[in-house]
Amino acid sequence: MIEMKRQPTTPGEILNEEFLKPLNLTQRAFAEHIGVEVKTINRIVNGRQGLTPEIALRFAAALEVSVEFWLDLQKAQDLWRLKNSKIKLPKPLKAS
């Protein structure tokens, strides 16, 4: 398994840098376009909230990028955070 040393880019950073800025869209305008509250977009852009499948689907429809793209970004972020947390994992099971 390949270990990730650096934190993956967040979906919010991708949204902001690759879509909102180039399209000259504010968070408010994007939020209104996809039908969510602006605070939701702000939290995602600032890394304080992850993507739900519903939000990923809205992003995909509005930005013509697959829902899997957005969900994969979120999955990478979630797994990185878990692997770098203090979670205690069980030992592997062994056949007796």
Side-chain angles (χ1 to χ4, degrees):
M1 178 185 337
I2 298 173
E3 285 295 316
M4 295 181 65
K5 301 221 185 286
R6 73 165 190 86
Q7 183 174 2
T9 305
T10 67
E13 187 176 350
I14 296 291
L15 173 66
N16 195 47
E17 296 299 323
E18 302 296 328
F19 295 96
L20 299 184
K21 285 181 179 179
L23 293 170
N24 202 28
L25 277 175
T26 64
Q27 291 179 21
R28 179 173 304 285
F30 184 66
E32 288 173 0
H33 181 76
I34 68 169
V36 300
E37 294 184 19
V38 68
K39 68 182 178 182
T40 299
I41 299 303
N42 185 264
R43 287 177 184 156
I44 291 168
V45 167
N46 290 307
R48 294 190 314 267
Q49 178 179 329
L51 296 183
T52 63
E54 179 185 341
I55 295 290
L57 190 59
R58 290 174 184 270
F59 281 16
L63 300 169
E64 297 184 299
V65 177
S66 75
V67 69
E68 291 82 10
F69 170 80
W70 295 106
L71 291 174
D72 286 347
L73 288 171
Q74 186 61 53
K75 180 175 67 175
Q77 188 66 213
D78 292 344
L79 287 173
W80 187 88
R81 285 184 178 161
L82 277 173
K83 288 178 179 180
N84 288 282
S85 72
K86 301 295 182 195
I87 189 171
K88 184 174 163 91
L89 297 174
K91 292 181 181 179
L93 293 171
K94 307 242 184 211
S96 43

